[in-house]
Amino acid sequence: MIRIGILGYGNLGRGVECAIKQNDDLELKAVFTRRAPGTVTILTEGVPVYAAADAAKHADEIDVLILCGGSATDLPEQTPQFTSLFNVIDSFDTHKRIPEHFDRVDQAAKQGGKVAIISVGWDPGLFSLNRMYANAILPNGVDYTFWGKGVSQGHSDAIRRVKGVKDGKQYTIPVEHALEEVRSGKNPDLTTREKHTRECFVVAEEGADLAQIEQDIQTMPNYFDEYDTTVHFITEEELKKNHSGIPHGGFVIRSGKTGWNLENNHIIEYRLKLDSNPEFTSSVLVAYARAAYRLNQEGQTGCKTVFDIAPAYLSPKSGEELRKTML
Amino acid sequence: MIRIGILGYGNLGRGVECAIKQNDDLELKAVFTRRAPGTVTILTEGVPVYAAADAAKHADEIDVLILCGGSATDLPEQTPQFTSLFNVIDSFDTHKRIPEHFDRVDQAAKQGGKVAIISVGWDPGLFSLNRMYANAILPNGVDYTFWGKGVSQGHSDAIRRVKGVKDGKQYTIPVEHALEEVRSGKNPDLTTREKHTRECFVVAEEGADLAQIEQDIQTMPNYFDEYDTTVHFITEEELKKNHSGIPHGGFVIRSGKTGWNLENNHIIEYRLKLDSNPEFTSSVLVAYARAAYRLNQEGQTGCKTVFDIAPAYLSPKSGEELRKTML
């Protein structure tokens, strides 16, 4: 059994807990929290909740620690800190800052003799893998990434800051026509507006000016002004009933040419359609936790990304079983 | 520069030649053929064509030999034979016989101190990778593979053996409704007939009994009797003009559940839409040739499959570049 620890018990941490339950070779050993441990109730019976500050004391009980904090402030500190003591997995998703995060984590992991796998999830993560495989196979081509249909947390937060808005949720929706053009091999140049639309479900405060709210949302710079945005006003009950989920997904497509005179076109498309963004991300984290453990058992150390991990390390099956059943 | 040799110059060999042209770090060094070398004209200027029997003499000039023979009789002999002298890539695609092929190749590659990567292409190959990743991430789920729309060589051959048929081509077509059901997360049990239809374009001999041909095709055991099959009679010119390509593709979909009570569903879908089946397969072979060379440079030996190769080995970019541009 591979003994897993979870650091941070929000949506992602709970998702990791659920994913561990589905994997017979993994065992949840402890949850670490920055809240008062006594106030945190987890789903798995008999598993202790400890203070994050006490994690070092439990280093011997944990094979891989899955870091479930945020990318803005938690992970830049936590991943280097904890990989000096644990093999770790994180879902660091600030694309631009990945190189510096990698360097800091790599140094700490090597000093600690541990393996850290960073930026695990679906984007970065599975989408990155598909971009990379497709680029290696079709060097002459164009990449497209579409997101959705799904809830954007950042855009939902932006709606809630608009005057007169009590609550709200925003969906990012890929434009079907643009997808079809890409799939046709035409390699279109697509503007921001042509790729995605945005749909908002808004609960207004009593007596609020609905037309003003709609305009404030649709013209909001950076968030909405470059998109065709639809605003629906609904009741608080409707929001709870129909929009409490956290679905997401998207498409990574590469359109590329082969042949002596580039006469043939090929489309490689990868699509995710997820009922729960955090639970799916957690499922990816858990598969890579298995890989981190195995790599460290083989004597490897340092920081890795999904690009550096041979696929077989993610599976509980042996090489022989994989060749027999999946190849 | 990584020096590549091609063994066997048919559709696949020519595809490899075209793919090498698109990769700046790869160089075609020689083509080996079982035909009389003087009768084989290749596209790349200044590259020699040698007799396959003389390959051993050129072992020092080649970093990776890409084997472009067939799986029925060529590769079971060629791959073990040539990997004692060369790092090799093959596209062995008889799924059931992969385990025994692996064992024989592994032994020969280890003895020769070389790396062999077998069963490279899209199925087996990229489809296998996607099955494996998706299974590792969503342990609780169902797998679906659909093929097409594309030309099935075996079914086209079968048509041509029917009495009164001069020439013909068969397309395998996935049933759109079945795909939609799978994408909906319903996890349907689908019969053979529900998953694919078959469409045949037939050139009949003069005076042949068309109704009889249609019936002979539609009732042919193993090939057509379990499918809804459409037969179109066309002229030889139409066949040449509209059906001379070798398109193919397909879908690998996993539908899986997460959550404490498996309350959330997720769809992972991988799709290929290929204008030229052999050219795309060749492009995959060439990317894995890069990996074989690098692994052998690191001192690795033995037989590998796509499951054993970390994605970064396929790309000409450095780890740093990949993290910066693709993660």
Side-chain angles (χ1 to χ4, degrees):
Chain A
M1 295 291 268
I2 304 174
R3 301 165 302 168
I4 308 288
I6 294 172
L7 180 75
Y9 194 72
N11 281 337
L12 203 57
R14 246 189 315 275
V16 168
E17 182 181 22
C18 294
I20 289 169
K21 191 184 173 192
Q22 288 196 32
N23 287 281
D24 296 338
D25 59 334
L26 308 180
E27 171 190 14
L28 179 61
K29 203 67 191 179
V31 169
F32 300 93
T33 179
R34 286 179 299 188
R35 291 178 268 168
T39 67
V40 175
T41 309
I42 68 169
L43 298 165
T44 314
E45 275 179 40
V47 170
V49 178
Y50 299 123
D54 292 338
K57 293 183 200 162
H58 301 279
D60 290 347
E61 302 157 28
I62 306 287
D63 293 315
V64 185
L65 184 64
I66 302 183
L67 307 177
C68 298
S71 296
T73 55
D74 299 336
L75 298 175
E77 286 204 5
Q78 288 176 349
T79 314
Q81 178 192 340
F82 285 99
T83 198
S84 61
L85 292 166
F86 298 91
N87 298 308
V88 301
I89 308 292
D90 83 17
S91 61
F92 185 77
D93 66 0
T94 313
H95 291 260
K96 277 188 189 169
R97 297 186 60 196
I98 288 173
E100 55 179 297
H101 187 58
F102 182 93
D103 290 339
R104 295 181 61 216
V105 173
D106 191 46
Q107 203 184 345
K110 279 178 178 152
Q111 279 170 6
K114 300 294 182 182
V115 166
I117 312 181
I118 62 161
S119 300
V120 176
W122 59 275
D123 195 3
L126 301 178
F127 273 18
S128 322
L129 272 180
N130 277 279
R131 280 189 281 267
M132 208 232 83
Y133 273 115
N135 272 268
I137 290 160
L138 297 173
N140 191 304
V142 185
D143 290 308
Y144 296 89
T145 302
F146 292 83
W147 290 274
K149 182 182 178 176
V151 172
S152 162
Q153 215 54 58
H155 288 79
S156 298
D157 291 345
I159 291 176
R160 287 186 212 109
R161 289 192 297 263
V162 169
K163 196 186 156 196
V165 171
K166 194 169 176 189
D167 204 351
K169 207 119 182 198
Q170 193 268 183
Y171 296 90
T172 307
I173 303 171
V175 175
E176 192 58 40
H177 173 72
L179 275 168
E180 284 309 321
E181 270 213 297
V182 169
R183 288 188 187 118
S184 77
K186 282 181 200 159
N187 295 0
D189 281 320
L190 297 167
T191 62
T192 300
R193 192 178 299 275
E194 286 167 335
K195 287 183 73 185
H196 297 93
T197 56
R198 299 195 176 278
E199 191 171 21
C200 307
F201 292 87
V202 174
V203 180
E205 284 167 359
E206 232 182 279
D209 180 343
L210 302 190
Q212 187 63 47
I213 290 176
E214 186 171 0
Q215 196 196 318
D216 287 352
I217 291 173
Q218 287 172 338
T219 59
M220 195 187 297
N222 301 320
Y223 285 91
F224 293 101
D225 62 340
E226 291 183 52
Y227 298 86
D228 291 333
T229 302
T230 319
V231 178
H232 306 279
F233 291 98
I234 59 174
T235 64
E236 206 155 6
E237 293 72 48
E238 283 174 306
L239 190 77
K240 268 210 186 99
K241 192 181 158 209
N242 301 324
H243 304 282
S244 61
I246 319 175
H248 220 312
F251 302 77
V252 170
I253 305 179
R254 186 163 176 85
S255 173
K257 300 205 177 293
T258 66
W260 195 250
N261 298 306
L262 303 177
E263 58 272 33
N264 287 310
N265 202 75
H266 307 278
I267 304 287
I268 304 176
E269 174 174 342
Y270 184 74
R271 179 190 188 178
L272 296 175
K273 194 175 150 224
L274 314 174
D275 273 0
S276 164
N277 185 353
E279 282 182 11
F280 186 79
T281 300
S282 302
S283 300
V284 184
L285 294 175
V286 161
Y288 277 94
R290 179 181 289 122
Y293 172 74
R294 290 174 172 177
L295 289 167
N296 192 240
Q297 288 288 103
E298 289 178 5
Q300 297 209 40
T301 65
C303 189
K304 320 261 177 202
T305 75
V306 293
F307 298 146
D308 308 309
I309 314 289
Y313 284 100
L314 306 190
S315 172
K317 297 191 179 192
S318 70
E320 206 176 341
E321 272 180 287
L322 287 177
R323 288 190 293 275
K324 209 170 160 180
T325 60
M326 302 241 165
L327 199 59
Chain B
M1 294 292 268
I2 304 174
R3 302 165 302 167
I4 308 288
I6 294 172
L7 180 76
Y9 194 71
N11 282 337
L12 203 57
R14 246 189 316 274
V16 168
E17 184 181 21
C18 295
I20 290 169
K21 192 186 174 192
Q22 290 196 31
N23 287 280
D24 296 337
D25 60 333
L26 308 181
E27 170 189 12
L28 179 60
K29 202 69 190 177
V31 169
F32 300 94
T33 177
R34 285 179 300 188
R35 291 178 268 168
T39 67
V40 175
T41 309
I42 68 169
L43 299 165
T44 314
E45 275 180 38
V47 170
V49 178
Y50 299 124
D54 291 338
K57 293 183 199 162
H58 301 280
D60 289 347
E61 303 157 26
I62 305 288
D63 294 316
V64 186
L65 185 64
I66 302 184
L67 307 177
C68 297
S71 297
T73 55
D74 299 336
L75 298 175
E77 285 203 5
Q78 288 175 349
T79 314
Q81 178 192 339
F82 286 98
T83 198
S84 60
L85 291 166
F86 298 90
N87 298 309
V88 301
I89 308 292
D90 84 17
S91 61
F92 185 77
D93 66 359
T94 313
H95 291 259
K96 276 189 189 167
R97 296 186 59 197
I98 288 172
E100 56 180 296
H101 187 59
F102 182 93
D103 290 339
R104 293 182 61 218
V105 174
D106 191 46
Q107 203 184 345
K110 279 179 177 150
Q111 278 170 7
K114 301 293 182 184
V115 166
I117 312 181
I118 63 161
S119 300
V120 175
W122 59 274
D123 195 3
L126 300 178
F127 273 19
S128 322
L129 272 181
N130 276 279
R131 280 189 281 267
M132 207 232 85
Y133 274 115
N135 272 269
I137 290 159
L138 297 174
N140 191 305
V142 185
D143 290 309
Y144 295 89
T145 302
F146 291 84
W147 290 275
K149 180 182 177 176
V151 172
S152 163
Q153 215 52 59
H155 288 78
S156 298
D157 291 345
I159 290 176
R160 288 185 211 110
R161 288 192 298 263
V162 169
K163 197 186 155 197
V165 171
K166 195 170 174 189
D167 205 350
K169 207 120 182 196
Q170 193 268 183
Y171 296 90
T172 307
I173 303 170
V175 175
E176 192 57 40
H177 172 72
L179 275 169
E180 283 309 320
E181 269 213 297
V182 169
R183 288 187 187 118
S184 76
K186 281 182 200 158
N187 296 358
D189 280 321
L190 296 166
T191 63
T192 300
R193 190 178 300 273
E194 286 167 333
K195 286 183 74 184
H196 297 93
T197 56
R198 299 195 176 276
E199 191 170 20
C200 308
F201 292 87
V202 174
V203 180
E205 284 167 0
E206 232 183 277
D209 181 343
L210 303 190
Q212 187 63 47
I213 290 175
E214 186 171 0
Q215 196 195 318
D216 286 354
I217 291 173
Q218 287 173 338
T219 59
M220 195 187 297
N222 301 321
Y223 286 91
F224 294 101
D225 62 339
E226 289 183 54
Y227 298 87
D228 290 333
T229 302
T230 320
V231 178
H232 306 279
F233 291 98
I234 59 174
T235 65
E236 207 155 6
E237 293 72 47
E238 284 175 306
L239 190 77
K240 266 207 187 99
K241 192 181 156 208
N242 301 325
H243 303 284
S244 60
I246 319 175
H248 220 312
F251 303 78
V252 170
I253 305 178
R254 186 164 177 86
S255 174
K257 299 202 177 297
T258 66
W260 195 250
N261 298 307
L262 302 176
E263 58 272 32
N264 287 312
N265 201 75
H266 308 278
I267 304 288
I268 303 176
E269 174 173 342
Y270 184 74
R271 178 189 187 179
L272 296 174
K273 193 175 150 224
L274 313 174
D275 273 2
S276 164
N277 185 352
E279 284 182 11
F280 186 80
T281 300
S282 302
S283 301
V284 184
L285 294 176
V286 162
Y288 277 95
R290 179 181 289 120
Y293 171 74
R294 291 175 170 176
L295 288 166
N296 192 239
Q297 287 289 103
E298 289 179 6
Q300 297 210 38
T301 65
C303 190
K304 318 262 177 202
T305 75
V306 294
F307 299 147
D308 307 309
I309 314 290
Y313 283 101
L314 307 189
S315 172
K317 298 191 179 193
S318 69
E320 206 176 341
E321 272 179 287
L322 286 176
R323 288 189 293 275
K324 210 171 160 181
T325 61
M326 303 242 164
L327 198 61

